[in-house]
Amino acid sequence: MTNMSRARVARRIAAGAAYGGGGVGLIGAAAVGLVLAEVRLARRAVNNGNRGGRVPVAEGLYGQTYGVPGEPPLRMAMLGDSTAAGQGVHRAGQTPGALLASGLSAVAERPVQLRNVALAGAQSDDLDRQVALVLSPSLPVPDICVIMVGANDVTHRMPPTRSVRHLSAAVRRLRTAGAEVVVGTCPDLGTIEPVQQPLRWLARRASRQLAAAQTIGAVEQGGRTVSLGDLLGPEFEANPRELFGPDNYHPSAEGYATAAMAVLPTVCASLGLWPAEEERPDVSRREGFLPVARAAAEAASEAGTEVTAAMPTGPRGPWALLKRRRRRRVPEAEPAAPST
C-alpha cells in the first residue's frame, strides 16, 4: 500500500473515530476465515494477551543525584499495554519506563518520578481506566505521559475507529489536565516469528494503517507521536534472536532499549529539553510540514519518525511537522529509589 493510500484510509478511520462512524475494516472480509485460523495458532505460540505474566516493577525515583532541595522531580507516567509495562524482561531497569525516566533525568538534570499504570494484554479501551488512575485527585498531574498501545487491538480485531476513539479521548483528557503526551504508535506485527503468511502480510498492513490513524487522532488532540515500527519491525526481523524475548513476541532488553532510543528525543522535546538546532526541520533528512494524514502515513512506514501539530487547519486539513530525530544510546537504567 502506498503512503497516499494509507493516508486516505487513516483519515477515514480518524474521521470515523471523531464523528462516531462505523468501523473501517483493516482486513478484507474474504480473508477473515484464514486469518482467524492463523491468529489462533499464533496466539497459542506466543500466548498473546496473557495478563498473568510477571512484569518488573519499575516505579520510583530516577536520577536522585540531580536532586535539589525544594525543587520537585519531573513526573512521568507510562500507559498502555505489555510493551509500556515492560513484559518480557527480568529487571526493572530494562523496562521502557525505567529507560525513559533515566534518560529524561540525565537530559533534564533533574530527578524523575516514574509511575506505570500500563497493563499487559490491555487494548485501547483500557486507557479510560488508566487515565483515571494517572489523573487521581490525590496526585500531581504528570509533566509527561507516554502511551504505547495498539498491538492487542489488531490481534483482537478491535474496530480501528473504536481504537482511535479511545486513544484520542485519552490524549485529550491528559492534555486538558496539563500533561504533555507522547504516543508510541502500533508496532509492526508482521515480523512476529510464529505468525505465518498470509497473516504476516495482513498483520503488517493492519498495524501500519492503525499506526497512521493513531497518529492523526493523537496529534489532533495536542499529542506527539513516534512510530514504533522498529519495536517489532525491520531491526527485529533481521535480528529476532537478539531483539525478541523468550516468547518470540515481546521485546528483549535490547529491543526495549531500541524503542526507548526512538521515543526519548520526542519526550525531551515535548518538555523543551532538546537542543534548539534539532527542532528546526532538516530538509536533507526529508523533514518538513505536511498535511497531518500524509505525515501520519509516512511515519507509519519509517520507524522512529515523530509527528507533532504545527499549523492551524487549512483547506487540506490540519498540518503537522514530521521529524526523523537522531537516536542516542539509552543505557540500562539504574535501580530506582522506592516510590514515596
Side-chain angles (χ1 to χ4, degrees):
M1 176 180 285
T2 67
N3 283 342
M4 291 303 294
S5 297
R6 185 175 293 119
R8 285 194 294 270
V9 173
R11 169 53 67 192
R12 288 171 56 206
I13 294 171
Y19 299 111
V24 179
L26 292 175
I27 298 175
V32 168
L34 181 57
V35 167
L36 289 178
E38 289 282 356
V39 166
R40 284 192 290 269
L41 291 174
R43 281 183 182 164
R44 282 202 293 269
V46 302
N47 199 23
N48 177 29
N50 177 18
R51 297 171 185 254
R54 178 185 175 276
V55 178
V57 178
E59 291 190 334
L61 187 67
Y62 290 81
Q64 299 175 76
T65 56
Y66 296 114
V68 175
E71 182 178 347
L74 289 171
R75 296 185 177 273
M76 186 175 80
M78 295 289 296
L79 304 88
D81 56 21
S82 57
T83 301
Q87 187 169 1
V89 294
H90 301 294
R91 295 196 295 273
Q94 298 171 327
T95 63
L99 292 166
L100 288 171
S102 182
L104 175 59
S105 175
V107 173
E109 296 186 341
R110 286 178 62 183
V112 173
Q113 184 74 45
L114 172 66
R115 187 168 188 220
N116 197 328
V117 298
L119 178 67
Q123 300 175 55
S124 293
D125 56 5
D126 192 53
L127 289 176
D128 182 64
R129 181 191 65 84
Q130 295 181 27
V131 169
L133 292 174
V134 166
L135 298 182
S136 170
S138 63
L139 297 172
V141 174
D143 297 288
I144 177 74
C145 294
V146 178
I147 304 174
M148 296 179 178
V149 75
N152 294 320
D153 296 9
V154 174
T155 59
H156 290 75
R157 301 179 65 235
M158 176 183 286
T161 49
R162 182 182 171 202
S163 175
V164 173
R165 188 178 300 126
H166 284 295
L167 175 62
S168 298
V171 174
R172 181 170 59 252
R173 288 176 63 193
L174 292 169
R175 292 290 291 130
T176 299
E180 296 293 335
V181 181
V182 173
V183 176
T185 57
C186 182
D188 183 352
L189 298 177
T191 54
I192 301 171
E193 282 199 324
V195 178
Q196 302 300 317
Q197 295 290 12
L199 179 59
R200 183 182 294 270
W201 177 84
L202 291 167
R204 169 167 288 137
R205 181 185 176 199
S207 302
R208 291 185 176 184
Q209 286 184 3
L210 179 57
Q214 287 178 315
T215 296
I216 295 173
V219 168
E220 289 185 344
Q221 297 302 327
R224 301 188 186 211
T225 64
V226 179
S227 168
L228 286 186
D230 272 1
L231 186 60
L232 296 172
E235 294 180 17
F236 280 68
E237 190 170 29
N239 302 289
R241 294 291 176 265
E242 180 180 349
L243 297 178
F244 277 123
D247 62 4
N248 289 329
Y249 184 85
H250 293 98
S252 64
E254 186 66 24
Y256 280 127
T258 300
M261 281 190 287
V263 175
L264 180 60
T266 300
V267 167
C268 294
S270 70
L271 295 171
L273 299 171
W274 210 239
E277 61 271 17
E278 292 196 19
E279 292 306 291
R280 293 187 291 270
D282 186 340
V283 177
S284 68
R285 288 193 283 161
R286 296 176 293 116
E287 297 180 346
F289 299 97
L290 297 169
V292 67
R294 184 177 162 195
E298 290 204 13
S301 300
E302 184 175 342
T305 304
E306 175 190 318
V307 180
T308 186
M311 297 181 181
T313 299
R316 299 172 64 185
W319 283 64
L321 173 61
L322 182 144
K323 289 195 62 71
R324 296 174 171 89
R325 295 188 182 276
R326 295 180 180 90
R327 300 182 188 181
R328 303 183 182 186
R329 174 67 186 174
V330 180
E332 182 174 333
E334 295 294 326
S339 299
T340 55

